[in-house]
């Protein structure tokens, strides 16, 4: 077994594993200080228990939000608990419709026949205008 493969196997062990604990216990003070210098705690691995706990926290926050809204209260949608290695979802932005596209949409909403950039599709299918970029 090569050292690279062994290193990859150890790297993917949970932080509370006996192997990682033994490796941490064997490290000297200088080595711990050097590895801690460039470390970002938010990027550290989480164990399965920590991931499940974060999922439980998110569920409780959503239940509280839904309960408050159902009883007439005001509540903002809860943000998910940040997890290491998982990027937060940003709002997706769409490019604005051109003036010609907006006019075509307006005419179609008000009963204009299908022609030009519109395409006839089967019922239940969405027809998209081509976007100019």
């Amino acid at each position: 077994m090569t050292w690279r493969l062994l290193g990859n196997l150890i790297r993917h062990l949970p932080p509370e594993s006996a192997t990682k604990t033994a490796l941490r216990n064997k490290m000297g003070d200088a080595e711990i200080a050097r590895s801690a210098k460039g470390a970002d705690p938010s990027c550290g691995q989480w164990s399965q228990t920590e991931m499940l706990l974060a999922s439980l926290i998110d569920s409780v926050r959503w239940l509280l939000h839904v309960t408050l809204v159902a009883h007439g209260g005001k509540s903002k949608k809860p943000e998910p608990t940040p997890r290491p290695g998982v990027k937060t979802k940003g709002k997706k932005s769409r490019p604005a419709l051109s003036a010609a596209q907006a006019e075509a949409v307006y005419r179609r909403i008000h009963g204009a026949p299908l022609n030009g950039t519109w395409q006839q599709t089967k019922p239940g299918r969405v027809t998209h205008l081509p976007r100019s970029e």
Side-chain angles (χ1 to χ4, degrees):
M1 188 179 305
T2 65
W3 288 109
R4 173 178 262 157
L5 179 61
L6 186 60
N8 283 335
L9 289 173
I10 292 172
R11 188 175 302 116
H12 290 92
L13 288 172
E16 70 277 4
S17 70
T19 303
K20 280 199 169 181
T21 301
L23 288 171
R24 276 192 305 272
N25 290 342
K26 293 262 183 193
M27 291 173 71
D29 291 338
E31 197 173 1
I32 290 173
R34 187 175 58 245
S35 64
K37 193 178 222 180
D40 180 8
S42 66
C43 294
Q45 291 181 338
W46 278 14
S47 68
Q48 183 68 19
T49 305
E50 291 165 324
M51 293 296 273
L52 289 171
L53 184 59
S55 179
L56 180 63
I57 290 168
D58 290 345
S59 297
V60 169
R61 287 178 179 167
W62 269 102
L63 287 172
L64 178 62
H65 167 72
V66 169
T67 303
L68 288 172
V69 171
H71 288 90
K74 292 186 179 182
S75 173
K76 287 194 274 182
K77 290 184 180 179
E79 294 291 323
T81 302
R83 293 160 172 84
V86 179
K87 294 180 181 178
T88 58
K89 293 181 182 177
K91 291 185 178 181
K92 294 182 181 178
S93 62
R94 296 182 181 202
L97 293 175
S98 68
Q101 291 171 330
E103 178 63 28
V105 170
Y106 180 78
R107 284 194 327 267
R108 182 66 186 132
I109 289 172
H110 294 287
L114 294 174
N115 60 16
T117 58
W118 288 95
Q119 300 170 4
Q120 185 69 43
T121 59
K122 295 179 183 177
R125 301 231 20 226
V126 176
T127 303
H128 294 281
L129 285 172
R131 298 219 179 246
S132 58
E133 299 196 40

